[in-house]
Amino acid sequence: MMRRVSTLSLNPTAISARLTAQSLTAWQLVVKPVVTSTNDIVREYDERGEGHGVAVMAEEQTQGRGRRGRTWHSPAGANLYCSIGWHLSGPLEALSGLSLSVGAMVAEAAMRVCGADLQLKWPNDLYADDQKVGGVLIEMLGARGNAQAAVIGIGLNVSMSADDGASIDRPWTDLSTASGRDIDRNELASAVLNQLAEGLAQIDQQGCAPWLNLWRRRDYLRGRAIVVDGSPPVAGIAAGVSDTGALVIETESGRQEVSGGEASVLEMGALR
C-alpha cells in the first residue's frame, strides 16, 4: 500500500481552535519548526519555573529519544512530536502507572480522530497490525511542593514515507496506513491535548486505576509467550498488568511481576 504523506504544517491557531475549554485553560501551546527534542524544551520551561501546563510540539526533532537511550526517528512534517509539562498530585509511588495511562489516553484520542483501534505494548509502545506506531516517554523531574513534576513525551507516526522510515530497525507503521485515511495532524494534536487535559485531571483525583483498566482492553502482549530482559531474564505467558503497572507473567515457577525491562514476543514453542 502506498503511504500517504501529509502536506499540512502544524498550526497553533488550527490546533487551539479545536481545544476544549478545559484544554485551553490547561495548556500553554508552543509549536516550533525544529528542536533537539520536545522533552528538552519542556525541561527548559521547568528550569524557569514555567513547566506546568506547557505543551511543546515540533515539526522535526534532531535528537528525538525513546526509552533506554534509543533514538526516536523524527523526520520533518510527517508525524506528531509532543511533550507536555505537568505537576501531578500525590507521592511518586502512586504514579507508577503513569506511562501506561498516558498510552491509553493517546490511543483513545487516535481512535476518535481516525478510527484506528490501537493496541498497547507494555510498557510504553502503541501498536497497529503488529507494528509500532508510537510511544510514550516519561521523565520525572522531582518534587515541586506537594506535587511531582513530569515531562510527558509522545511520538506518533502519522504519515511517514517509506524513505523516511528506512533507518528504523523494527517493524513500523503509521496512523494513515493503519486507518486508510488522510490525517490532519492539527486535528490529531488537538485530540491528544484534549484527552491529556481530561485524563491527567482524572489521575489527580482518582489515581491511575481507571486508565489502567482502559489499557488492559488494548493489551498487545496478553496471552503471548514473551521474555523480558534482565539478570536473569523472565520468560512465560503475559497475563496483563498489576494495579501498579507492572507486567504480570505466568512462568514455570509461578506468577511474577516485572516493573522494568524490554518485553519481546517469542515464537510458538520457544518456551518448551
Side-chain angles (χ1 to χ4, degrees), residues 209-271:
W211 287 101
L212 288 176
N213 286 334
L214 286 173
W215 192 98
R216 291 182 178 105
R217 298 177 191 175
R218 298 179 179 272
D219 188 348
Y220 174 78
L221 292 177
R222 188 176 183 90
R224 297 177 187 251
I226 64 167
V227 62
V228 179
D229 61 4
S231 299
V234 180
I237 304 298
V241 296
S242 72
D243 290 341
T244 62
L247 180 63
V248 180
I249 305 174
E250 296 285 0
T251 75
E252 292 182 348
S253 58
R255 178 168 286 206
Q256 293 190 38
E257 293 185 7
V258 178
S259 297
E262 189 79 14
S264 301
V265 176
L266 297 173
E267 297 295 332
M268 290 296 293
L271 287 176

Short mmCIF file of all heavy atoms in Angstrom, two decimals, residues 209-271:
data_model
loop_
_atom_site.label_atom_id
_atom_site.label_comp_id
_atom_site.label_asym_id
_atom_site.label_seq_id
_atom_site.Cartn_x
_atom_site.Cartn_y
_atom_site.Cartn_z
N ALA A 209 -5.90 4.11 38.24
CA ALA A 209 -6.70 2.90 38.09
C ALA A 209 -7.67 2.93 36.91
O ALA A 209 -7.75 1.96 36.13
CB ALA A 209 -7.45 2.58 39.38
N PRO A 210 -8.45 4.01 36.70
CA PRO A 210 -9.39 3.99 35.56
C PRO A 210 -8.68 3.85 34.22
O PRO A 210 -9.19 3.16 33.31
CB PRO A 210 -10.11 5.34 35.68
CG PRO A 210 -9.96 5.74 37.12
CD PRO A 210 -8.62 5.23 37.52
N TRP A 211 -7.52 4.46 34.08
CA TRP A 211 -6.81 4.39 32.81
C TRP A 211 -6.08 3.06 32.64
O TRP A 211 -5.93 2.57 31.52
CB TRP A 211 -5.85 5.57 32.68
CG TRP A 211 -6.63 6.82 32.41
CD1 TRP A 211 -6.96 7.80 33.29
CD2 TRP A 211 -7.24 7.16 31.17
NE1 TRP A 211 -7.73 8.74 32.68
CE2 TRP A 211 -7.92 8.38 31.39
CE3 TRP A 211 -7.28 6.57 29.91
CZ2 TRP A 211 -8.64 9.01 30.37
CZ3 TRP A 211 -7.99 7.20 28.90
CH2 TRP A 211 -8.66 8.41 29.13
N LEU A 212 -5.65 2.46 33.74
CA LEU A 212 -5.08 1.11 33.64
C LEU A 212 -6.13 0.11 33.16
O LEU A 212 -5.83 -0.81 32.40
CB LEU A 212 -4.49 0.68 34.98
CG LEU A 212 -3.20 1.38 35.41
CD1 LEU A 212 -2.79 0.94 36.80
CD2 LEU A 212 -2.08 1.13 34.42
N ASN A 213 -7.38 0.30 33.59
CA ASN A 213 -8.44 -0.58 33.10
C ASN A 213 -8.63 -0.42 31.59
O ASN A 213 -8.84 -1.42 30.88
CB ASN A 213 -9.74 -0.28 33.84
CG ASN A 213 -9.74 -0.80 35.26
OD1 ASN A 213 -9.04 -1.76 35.58
ND2 ASN A 213 -10.51 -0.18 36.14
N LEU A 214 -8.56 0.81 31.09
CA LEU A 214 -8.66 1.02 29.64
C LEU A 214 -7.44 0.45 28.93
O LEU A 214 -7.56 -0.11 27.83
CB LEU A 214 -8.81 2.52 29.34
CG LEU A 214 -10.17 3.13 29.66
CD1 LEU A 214 -10.14 4.64 29.49
CD2 LEU A 214 -11.26 2.52 28.78
N TRP A 215 -6.27 0.56 29.55
CA TRP A 215 -5.06 -0.01 28.98
C TRP A 215 -5.23 -1.53 28.80
O TRP A 215 -4.85 -2.09 27.77
CB TRP A 215 -3.86 0.29 29.87
CG TRP A 215 -2.52 -0.01 29.26
CD1 TRP A 215 -1.68 0.88 28.65
CD2 TRP A 215 -1.87 -1.29 29.20
NE1 TRP A 215 -0.55 0.24 28.21
CE2 TRP A 215 -0.64 -1.09 28.53
CE3 TRP A 215 -2.20 -2.56 29.62
CZ2 TRP A 215 0.25 -2.13 28.29
CZ3 TRP A 215 -1.32 -3.61 29.39
CH2 TRP A 215 -0.10 -3.38 28.72
N ARG A 216 -5.79 -2.19 29.79
CA ARG A 216 -5.94 -3.65 29.74
C ARG A 216 -6.79 -4.10 28.55
O ARG A 216 -6.59 -5.18 28.02
CB ARG A 216 -6.55 -4.14 31.05
CG ARG A 216 -5.61 -4.00 32.26
CD ARG A 216 -6.24 -4.55 33.52
NE ARG A 216 -5.30 -4.45 34.65
CZ ARG A 216 -5.42 -3.54 35.62
NH1 ARG A 216 -6.43 -2.68 35.62
NH2 ARG A 216 -4.52 -3.50 36.60
N ARG A 217 -7.73 -3.27 28.13
CA ARG A 217 -8.57 -3.64 26.99
C ARG A 217 -7.78 -3.63 25.67
O ARG A 217 -8.22 -4.23 24.69
CB ARG A 217 -9.75 -2.67 26.87
CG ARG A 217 -10.68 -2.67 28.07
CD ARG A 217 -11.77 -1.62 27.89
NE ARG A 217 -12.52 -1.42 29.13
CZ ARG A 217 -13.45 -0.49 29.28
NH1 ARG A 217 -13.76 0.31 28.25
NH2 ARG A 217 -14.08 -0.35 30.43
N ARG A 218 -6.64 -2.97 25.68
CA ARG A 218 -5.83 -2.86 24.47
C ARG A 218 -4.50 -3.59 24.60
O ARG A 218 -3.58 -3.36 23.81
CB ARG A 218 -5.57 -1.37 24.15
CG ARG A 218 -6.82 -0.55 23.88
CD ARG A 218 -6.46 0.91 23.61
NE ARG A 218 -7.64 1.72 23.33
CZ ARG A 218 -8.16 1.89 22.12
NH1 ARG A 218 -7.59 1.28 21.08
NH2 ARG A 218 -9.22 2.64 21.93
N ASP A 219 -4.39 -4.48 25.56
CA ASP A 219 -3.13 -5.15 25.90
C ASP A 219 -2.64 -6.04 24.74
O ASP A 219 -3.24 -7.06 24.44
CB ASP A 219 -3.33 -5.98 27.16
CG ASP A 219 -2.05 -6.56 27.73
OD1 ASP A 219 -1.01 -6.53 27.03
OD2 ASP A 219 -2.10 -7.08 28.86
N TYR A 220 -1.54 -5.63 24.13
CA TYR A 220 -0.99 -6.35 22.98
C TYR A 220 -0.33 -7.67 23.39
O TYR A 220 -0.35 -8.65 22.63
CB TYR A 220 0.04 -5.45 22.28
CG TYR A 220 0.81 -6.11 21.16
CD1 TYR A 220 0.23 -6.27 19.90
CD2 TYR A 220 2.13 -6.54 21.34
CE1 TYR A 220 0.94 -6.87 18.86
CE2 TYR A 220 2.83 -7.13 20.31
CZ TYR A 220 2.23 -7.29 19.08
OH TYR A 220 2.92 -7.89 18.05
N LEU A 221 0.26 -7.73 24.56
CA LEU A 221 1.05 -8.91 24.95
C LEU A 221 0.23 -10.00 25.61
O LEU A 221 0.65 -11.16 25.62
CB LEU A 221 2.16 -8.49 25.92
CG LEU A 221 3.29 -7.62 25.36
CD1 LEU A 221 4.27 -7.26 26.47
CD2 LEU A 221 4.01 -8.33 24.22
N ARG A 222 -0.91 -9.69 26.15
CA ARG A 222 -1.65 -10.65 26.97
C ARG A 222 -1.88 -11.97 26.21
O ARG A 222 -2.36 -11.99 25.08
CB ARG A 222 -2.98 -10.08 27.42
CG ARG A 222 -3.69 -10.97 28.43
CD ARG A 222 -4.98 -10.34 28.94
NE ARG A 222 -5.59 -11.19 29.96
CZ ARG A 222 -5.34 -11.12 31.26
NH1 ARG A 222 -4.51 -10.21 31.71
NH2 ARG A 222 -5.92 -11.94 32.11
N GLY A 223 -1.52 -13.08 26.87
CA GLY A 223 -1.70 -14.40 26.29
C GLY A 223 -0.57 -14.84 25.38
O GLY A 223 -0.57 -15.98 24.91
N ARG A 224 0.42 -13.98 25.15
CA ARG A 224 1.54 -14.33 24.27
C ARG A 224 2.73 -14.84 25.10
O ARG A 224 2.94 -14.42 26.24
CB ARG A 224 1.99 -13.12 23.44
CG ARG A 224 0.93 -12.57 22.49
CD ARG A 224 1.47 -11.33 21.80
NE ARG A 224 0.47 -10.66 20.99
CZ ARG A 224 0.46 -10.62 19.66
NH1 ARG A 224 1.41 -11.23 18.99
NH2 ARG A 224 -0.48 -9.97 19.01
N ALA A 225 3.51 -15.70 24.48
CA ALA A 225 4.77 -16.14 25.08
C ALA A 225 5.79 -15.02 24.92
O ALA A 225 6.02 -14.54 23.80
CB ALA A 225 5.27 -17.41 24.40
N ILE A 226 6.41 -14.60 26.02
CA ILE A 226 7.31 -13.45 25.98
C ILE A 226 8.54 -13.73 26.83
O ILE A 226 8.57 -14.67 27.64
CB ILE A 226 6.62 -12.17 26.50
CG1 ILE A 226 6.26 -12.33 28.00
CG2 ILE A 226 5.39 -11.82 25.67
CD1 ILE A 226 5.88 -11.04 28.67
N VAL A 227 9.53 -12.88 26.66
CA VAL A 227 10.68 -12.84 27.56
C VAL A 227 10.99 -11.38 27.83
O VAL A 227 10.94 -10.53 26.93
CB VAL A 227 11.90 -13.57 26.97
CG1 VAL A 227 12.38 -12.92 25.67
CG2 VAL A 227 13.04 -13.62 28.00
N VAL A 228 11.26 -11.06 29.09
CA VAL A 228 11.65 -9.72 29.50
C VAL A 228 13.12 -9.76 29.87
O VAL A 228 13.54 -10.58 30.71
CB VAL A 228 10.81 -9.21 30.68
CG1 VAL A 228 11.27 -7.81 31.10
CG2 VAL A 228 9.34 -9.19 30.31
N ASP A 229 13.92 -8.89 29.24
CA ASP A 229 15.35 -8.92 29.51
C ASP A 229 15.63 -8.52 30.95
O ASP A 229 14.85 -7.87 31.62
CB ASP A 229 16.11 -8.02 28.53
CG ASP A 229 15.69 -6.56 28.60
OD1 ASP A 229 14.86 -6.21 29.46
OD2 ASP A 229 16.19 -5.77 27.79
N GLY A 230 16.78 -8.94 31.44
CA GLY A 230 17.16 -8.66 32.81
C GLY A 230 18.19 -9.67 33.27
O GLY A 230 18.66 -10.49 32.50
N SER A 231 18.53 -9.61 34.55
CA SER A 231 19.51 -10.53 35.12
C SER A 231 18.89 -11.24 36.32
O SER A 231 18.96 -10.75 37.45
CB SER A 231 20.78 -9.78 35.54
OG SER A 231 21.38 -9.14 34.46
N PRO A 232 18.26 -12.40 36.13
CA PRO A 232 18.14 -13.10 34.84
C PRO A 232 16.91 -12.63 34.07
O PRO A 232 16.04 -11.97 34.65
CB PRO A 232 17.95 -14.56 35.30
CG PRO A 232 17.18 -14.42 36.58
CD PRO A 232 17.71 -13.18 37.25
N PRO A 233 16.80 -12.98 32.78
CA PRO A 233 15.57 -12.68 32.04
C PRO A 233 14.40 -13.48 32.59
O PRO A 233 14.59 -14.54 33.20
CB PRO A 233 15.92 -13.07 30.60
CG PRO A 233 17.04 -14.02 30.73
CD PRO A 233 17.81 -13.64 31.95
N VAL A 234 13.19 -12.98 32.37
CA VAL A 234 11.97 -13.65 32.84
C VAL A 234 11.14 -14.04 31.61
O VAL A 234 10.79 -13.18 30.80
CB VAL A 234 11.14 -12.75 33.77
CG1 VAL A 234 9.88 -13.47 34.24
CG2 VAL A 234 11.97 -12.30 34.96
N ALA A 235 10.85 -15.34 31.49
CA ALA A 235 10.09 -15.85 30.35
C ALA A 235 8.81 -16.50 30.83
O ALA A 235 8.76 -17.09 31.91
CB ALA A 235 10.92 -16.85 29.54
N GLY A 236 7.77 -16.38 30.01
CA GLY A 236 6.49 -17.00 30.36
C GLY A 236 5.38 -16.47 29.47
O GLY A 236 5.63 -15.96 28.38
N ILE A 237 4.17 -16.56 29.97
CA ILE A 237 2.99 -16.08 29.24
C ILE A 237 2.53 -14.78 29.88
O ILE A 237 2.29 -14.72 31.09
CB ILE A 237 1.85 -17.12 29.27
CG1 ILE A 237 2.32 -18.46 28.72
CG2 ILE A 237 0.65 -16.59 28.49
CD1 ILE A 237 2.77 -18.42 27.27
N ALA A 238 2.42 -13.73 29.07
CA ALA A 238 1.97 -12.44 29.59
C ALA A 238 0.54 -12.56 30.09
O ALA A 238 -0.34 -13.09 29.41
CB ALA A 238 2.07 -11.37 28.50
N ALA A 239 0.31 -12.04 31.31
CA ALA A 239 -1.00 -12.19 31.95
C ALA A 239 -1.57 -10.86 32.41
O ALA A 239 -2.26 -10.78 33.42
CB ALA A 239 -0.89 -13.17 33.12
N GLY A 240 -1.26 -9.80 31.67
CA GLY A 240 -1.82 -8.49 32.00
C GLY A 240 -0.87 -7.65 32.83
O GLY A 240 0.33 -7.90 32.91
N VAL A 241 -1.43 -6.61 33.44
CA VAL A 241 -0.63 -5.72 34.29
C VAL A 241 -1.29 -5.59 35.65
O VAL A 241 -2.51 -5.72 35.80
CB VAL A 241 -0.46 -4.32 33.65
CG1 VAL A 241 0.34 -4.41 32.36
CG2 VAL A 241 -1.79 -3.63 33.42
N SER A 242 -0.46 -5.31 36.64
CA SER A 242 -0.94 -5.15 38.01
C SER A 242 -1.51 -3.75 38.20
O SER A 242 -1.44 -2.90 37.31
CB SER A 242 0.21 -5.38 39.00
OG SER A 242 1.12 -4.28 38.94
N ASP A 243 -2.01 -3.48 39.40
CA ASP A 243 -2.55 -2.16 39.69
C ASP A 243 -1.47 -1.09 39.79
O ASP A 243 -1.79 0.10 39.83
CB ASP A 243 -3.36 -2.21 41.00
CG ASP A 243 -4.65 -3.00 40.86
OD1 ASP A 243 -5.10 -3.19 39.71
OD2 ASP A 243 -5.20 -3.42 41.89
N THR A 244 -0.20 -1.50 39.83
CA THR A 244 0.90 -0.54 39.82
C THR A 244 1.53 -0.39 38.43
O THR A 244 2.51 0.32 38.26
CB THR A 244 2.00 -0.95 40.82
OG1 THR A 244 2.55 -2.22 40.43
CG2 THR A 244 1.44 -1.04 42.22
N GLY A 245 0.97 -1.09 37.44
CA GLY A 245 1.50 -1.00 36.07
C GLY A 245 2.60 -2.00 35.78
O GLY A 245 3.18 -1.97 34.70
N ALA A 246 2.89 -2.91 36.71
CA ALA A 246 3.90 -3.94 36.46
C ALA A 246 3.34 -5.00 35.52
O ALA A 246 2.14 -5.29 35.52
CB ALA A 246 4.33 -4.58 37.77
N LEU A 247 4.21 -5.59 34.70
CA LEU A 247 3.82 -6.66 33.80
C LEU A 247 3.72 -7.96 34.59
O LEU A 247 4.65 -8.33 35.31
CB LEU A 247 4.84 -6.80 32.68
CG LEU A 247 4.58 -7.90 31.64
CD1 LEU A 247 3.30 -7.64 30.87
CD2 LEU A 247 5.77 -8.00 30.68
N VAL A 248 2.60 -8.65 34.47
CA VAL A 248 2.39 -9.92 35.15
C VAL A 248 2.70 -11.06 34.17
O VAL A 248 2.20 -11.06 33.04
CB VAL A 248 0.94 -10.06 35.66
CG1 VAL A 248 0.74 -11.39 36.37
CG2 VAL A 248 0.60 -8.89 36.59
N ILE A 249 3.54 -12.00 34.61
CA ILE A 249 3.97 -13.10 33.74
C ILE A 249 3.75 -14.42 34.47
O ILE A 249 4.15 -14.59 35.62
CB ILE A 249 5.47 -12.97 33.38
CG1 ILE A 249 5.76 -11.60 32.76
CG2 ILE A 249 5.88 -14.08 32.40
CD1 ILE A 249 7.23 -11.34 32.51
N GLU A 250 3.09 -15.35 33.78
CA GLU A 250 2.95 -16.71 34.29
C GLU A 250 4.17 -17.51 33.84
O GLU A 250 4.34 -17.80 32.66
CB GLU A 250 1.67 -17.36 33.75
CG GLU A 250 0.38 -16.70 34.19
CD GLU A 250 0.02 -17.01 35.64
OE1 GLU A 250 0.79 -17.76 36.30
OE2 GLU A 250 -1.01 -16.52 36.10
N THR A 251 5.05 -17.82 34.78
CA THR A 251 6.28 -18.55 34.48
C THR A 251 6.14 -20.00 34.95
O THR A 251 5.17 -20.37 35.62
CB THR A 251 7.50 -17.91 35.16
OG1 THR A 251 7.46 -18.22 36.57
CG2 THR A 251 7.50 -16.39 34.97
N GLU A 252 7.14 -20.80 34.62
CA GLU A 252 7.12 -22.21 35.05
C GLU A 252 7.15 -22.34 36.56
O GLU A 252 6.69 -23.35 37.12
CB GLU A 252 8.30 -22.96 34.43
CG GLU A 252 8.20 -23.13 32.91
CD GLU A 252 9.36 -23.91 32.35
OE1 GLU A 252 10.35 -24.10 33.10
OE2 GLU A 252 9.30 -24.31 31.16
N SER A 253 7.67 -21.33 37.25
CA SER A 253 7.78 -21.39 38.71
C SER A 253 6.68 -20.59 39.41
O SER A 253 6.69 -20.46 40.62
CB SER A 253 9.15 -20.86 39.15
OG SER A 253 9.34 -19.53 38.71
N GLY A 254 5.73 -20.05 38.63
CA GLY A 254 4.64 -19.30 39.23
C GLY A 254 4.53 -17.90 38.65
O GLY A 254 5.25 -17.51 37.73
N ARG A 255 3.60 -17.15 39.19
CA ARG A 255 3.33 -15.79 38.68
C ARG A 255 4.37 -14.81 39.21
O ARG A 255 4.69 -14.81 40.40
CB ARG A 255 1.93 -15.37 39.11
CG ARG A 255 1.54 -13.97 38.69
CD ARG A 255 0.06 -13.71 38.88
NE ARG A 255 -0.73 -14.39 37.86
CZ ARG A 255 -1.94 -13.98 37.47
NH1 ARG A 255 -2.49 -12.91 38.01
NH2 ARG A 255 -2.58 -14.65 36.54
N GLN A 256 4.90 -13.97 38.29
CA GLN A 256 5.87 -12.94 38.67
C GLN A 256 5.40 -11.60 38.12
O GLN A 256 4.72 -11.53 37.10
CB GLN A 256 7.26 -13.26 38.11
CG GLN A 256 7.92 -14.49 38.71
CD GLN A 256 9.38 -14.59 38.29
OE1 GLN A 256 10.09 -13.60 38.19
NE2 GLN A 256 9.82 -15.81 38.06
N GLU A 257 5.80 -10.54 38.81
CA GLU A 257 5.55 -9.18 38.34
C GLU A 257 6.89 -8.52 38.03
O GLU A 257 7.83 -8.61 38.82
CB GLU A 257 4.79 -8.36 39.39
CG GLU A 257 3.39 -8.86 39.62
CD GLU A 257 2.59 -7.97 40.57
OE1 GLU A 257 3.10 -6.88 40.92
OE2 GLU A 257 1.47 -8.36 40.93
N VAL A 258 6.95 -7.88 36.86
CA VAL A 258 8.16 -7.22 36.39
C VAL A 258 7.87 -5.74 36.21
O VAL A 258 6.92 -5.38 35.51
CB VAL A 258 8.65 -7.84 35.06
CG1 VAL A 258 9.89 -7.11 34.56
CG2 VAL A 258 8.92 -9.33 35.24
N SER A 259 8.68 -4.90 36.84
CA SER A 259 8.43 -3.45 36.81
C SER A 259 9.22 -2.71 35.74
O SER A 259 8.91 -1.55 35.44
CB SER A 259 8.73 -2.85 38.18
OG SER A 259 7.88 -3.39 39.17
N GLY A 260 10.23 -3.34 35.17
CA GLY A 260 11.03 -2.67 34.16
C GLY A 260 11.67 -3.66 33.21
O GLY A 260 11.78 -4.85 33.52
N GLY A 261 12.07 -3.18 32.06
CA GLY A 261 12.72 -4.03 31.07
C GLY A 261 12.04 -3.96 29.73
O GLY A 261 11.09 -3.21 29.52
N GLU A 262 12.57 -4.74 28.80
CA GLU A 262 12.06 -4.79 27.43
C GLU A 262 11.44 -6.15 27.19
O GLU A 262 12.08 -7.18 27.40
CB GLU A 262 13.21 -4.57 26.45
CG GLU A 262 12.77 -4.40 25.01
CD GLU A 262 12.26 -3.01 24.72
OE1 GLU A 262 12.48 -2.11 25.56
OE2 GLU A 262 11.63 -2.83 23.67
N ALA A 263 10.18 -6.17 26.79
CA ALA A 263 9.46 -7.42 26.55
C ALA A 263 9.48 -7.76 25.07
O ALA A 263 9.15 -6.92 24.23
CB ALA A 263 8.02 -7.32 27.04
N SER A 264 9.88 -8.99 24.76
CA SER A 264 9.90 -9.47 23.37
C SER A 264 8.99 -10.68 23.25
O SER A 264 8.95 -11.54 24.14
CB SER A 264 11.32 -9.87 22.96
OG SER A 264 12.21 -8.77 23.07
N VAL A 265 8.26 -10.72 22.14
CA VAL A 265 7.38 -11.85 21.88
C VAL A 265 8.19 -13.00 21.32
O VAL A 265 9.03 -12.83 20.42
CB VAL A 265 6.26 -11.46 20.88
CG1 VAL A 265 5.38 -12.67 20.54
CG2 VAL A 265 5.41 -10.33 21.46
N LEU A 266 7.96 -14.21 21.86
CA LEU A 266 8.70 -15.40 21.43
C LEU A 266 7.91 -16.14 20.36
O LEU A 266 6.70 -16.03 20.26
CB LEU A 266 8.93 -16.33 22.62
CG LEU A 266 9.79 -15.77 23.76
CD1 LEU A 266 9.79 -16.74 24.93
CD2 LEU A 266 11.22 -15.51 23.29
N GLU A 267 8.64 -16.89 19.56
CA GLU A 267 7.98 -17.76 18.56
C GLU A 267 7.23 -18.88 19.28
O GLU A 267 7.57 -19.26 20.40
CB GLU A 267 9.04 -18.38 17.63
CG GLU A 267 9.82 -17.35 16.81
CD GLU A 267 8.95 -16.62 15.82
OE1 GLU A 267 7.94 -17.23 15.38
OE2 GLU A 267 9.25 -15.46 15.50
N MET A 268 6.22 -19.42 18.63
CA MET A 268 5.46 -20.52 19.21
C MET A 268 6.40 -21.67 19.57
O MET A 268 7.27 -22.06 18.80
CB MET A 268 4.42 -21.01 18.21
CG MET A 268 3.28 -20.04 17.96
SD MET A 268 2.26 -19.75 19.43
CE MET A 268 1.52 -21.38 19.62
N GLY A 269 6.24 -22.19 20.78
CA GLY A 269 7.03 -23.32 21.22
C GLY A 269 8.36 -22.94 21.82
O GLY A 269 9.09 -23.80 22.30
N ALA A 270 8.71 -21.64 21.83
CA ALA A 270 10.04 -21.24 22.30
C ALA A 270 10.20 -21.44 23.80
O ALA A 270 11.32 -21.51 24.31
CB ALA A 270 10.30 -19.78 21.95
N LEU A 271 9.08 -21.54 24.56
CA LEU A 271 9.19 -21.73 25.98
C LEU A 271 9.44 -23.18 26.36
O LEU A 271 9.75 -23.50 27.49
CB LEU A 271 7.90 -21.25 26.67
CG LEU A 271 7.69 -19.74 26.73
CD1 LEU A 271 6.34 -19.42 27.35
CD2 LEU A 271 8.79 -19.05 27.51
#
